[in-house]
Amino acid sequence: MTNSELSQILREELDRRSWTVSDLARATGMNRETVRRAVLGIGSTALETANILLAALKHELIVEVSQ
C-alpha cells in the first residue's frame, strides 16, 4: 500500500463516519499531528502507524512482498 492509497482510505473512512482527524487520534491514542500527516499523505507513514490507523477504522493492512 502506498502512502497515497493509505491517505485515500483514511479520508474516505473519516468522511463515512463523520470523524475528524482529532477523533481518529483519540481512537488510536496517537498524536494528532501524526494522524493528520497520514490522512493528508504528507511524508511517509511507518508500517506500524498505518496498521494502527487502519485497525481503528476496522480495515486490515495487506502487504505484498515482491521477490
Side-chain angles (χ1 to χ4, degrees), residues 19-56:
W19 279 16
T20 65
V21 167
S22 294
D23 293 328
L24 183 54
R26 275 192 295 277
T28 61
M30 298 177 77
N31 178 286
R32 185 190 178 285
E33 182 61 16
T34 300
V35 174
R36 185 186 75 81
R37 291 177 61 81
V39 169
L40 295 177
I42 299 171
S44 60
T45 304
L47 182 59
E48 182 179 359
T49 300
N51 194 40
I52 291 168
L53 292 169
L54 291 170

Side-chain angles (χ1 to χ4, degrees), residues 2-14 38-39 41:
T2 67
N3 233 27
S4 178
E5 291 168 331
L6 174 63
S7 173
Q8 181 178 348
I9 289 169
L10 294 175
R11 283 183 279 115
E12 287 172 0
E13 287 299 319
L14 290 179
V39 169

